[in-house]
């Protein structure tokens, strides 16, 4: 299914480029279970999402999950290997800390003890609701991800 994921990424990239042509400083967020890791072709090549902020040029995309993935950190596990399919990718304007709007600060994988399988062959994996015909009462086979954005507030503004 890699060709289908690359085709979907190409459609997404086409829309991003169309928006950026009209509004170069558009703040764009791409998010979801991409069914690919940050280094796979659909994300790294077709979308052109960079894993280091310094490599992102105007009109480009930043993928804050690349370095975590390279360290073996992920949101889902399969055959004892972690994948990071659940990504939030942002456009270059979110990287400017000097702007008046919100800027990217941190990325996180939300993982709490109650969300982790505590026994059996999948111990340490995200706790699923179902394991075959067995009800586990979990939440998902993926851990959710989120980004933290900050905004600089000028001292002396009313309401702050």
């Amino acid at each position: 299914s890699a060709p289908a994921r690359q085709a979907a990424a190409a459609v997404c990239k086409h829309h991003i480029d169309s928006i950026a042509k009209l509004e170069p400083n558009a703040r764009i967020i791409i998010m979801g279970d991409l069914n690919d890791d940050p280094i796979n072709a659909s994300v790294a090549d077709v979308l052109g999402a960079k894993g280091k902020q310094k490599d992102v040029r105007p009109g480009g995309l930043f993928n804050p999950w690349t370095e975590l993935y390279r360290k073996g950190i992920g949101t889902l596990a399969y055959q004892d290997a972690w994948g990071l399919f659940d990504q939030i990718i942002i456009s270059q304007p979110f990287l400017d800390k000097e702007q008046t709007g919100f800027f990217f600060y941190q990325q996180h994988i939300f993982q709490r003890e109650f969300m982790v399988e505590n026994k059996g062959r999948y111990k340490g994996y995200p706790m699923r609701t179902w394991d075959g015909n067995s009800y586990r009462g979990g939440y998902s086979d993926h851990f959710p991800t989120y980004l933290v954005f900050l905004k600089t507030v000028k001292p002396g503004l009313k309401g702050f």
Side-chain angles (χ1 to χ4, degrees), residues 4-140:
R5 292 191 301 276
Q6 291 175 25
V11 170
C12 184
K13 180 68 170 142
H14 173 76
H15 286 288
I16 292 166
D17 291 346
S18 296
I19 293 167
K21 187 175 182 181
L22 296 173
E23 180 53 57
N25 290 318
R27 293 182 179 105
I28 298 170
I29 299 173
I30 303 162
M31 61 189 291
D33 175 351
L34 303 182
N35 235 34
D36 264 338
D37 291 312
I39 63 168
N40 291 131
S42 66
V43 180
D45 299 332
V46 178
L47 288 177
K50 306 295 183 194
K52 296 184 188 306
Q53 290 188 40
K54 66 179 181 64
D55 295 335
V56 182
R57 303 288 172 246
L61 299 169
F62 174 59
N63 189 340
W65 309 101
T66 304
E67 292 307 311
L68 287 176
Y69 175 74
R70 290 187 191 281
K71 292 177 183 175
I73 299 170
T75 58
L76 73 153
Y78 178 71
Q79 297 181 346
D80 294 330
W82 284 95
L84 212 159
F85 290 1
D86 308 280
Q87 299 170 59
I88 306 168
I89 300 168
I90 56 176
S91 62
Q92 184 271 337
F94 278 115
L95 303 179
D96 180 6
K97 292 175 177 48
E98 303 302 317
Q99 65 176 303
T100 58
F102 289 93
F103 59 88
F104 170 75
Y105 178 62
Q106 294 175 333
Q107 74 279 26
H108 295 278
I109 297 172
F110 189 78
Q111 179 182 347
R112 299 294 186 264
E113 186 177 337
F114 68 88
M115 301 167 73
V116 180
E117 184 62 59
N118 55 15
K119 64 181 180 179
R121 66 180 181 178
Y122 299 119
K123 186 174 182 177
Y125 286 27
M127 185 185 286
R128 299 168 175 256
T129 304
W130 290 91
D131 181 11
N133 291 329
S134 176
Y135 181 73
R136 295 289 306 131
Y139 296 89
S140 174

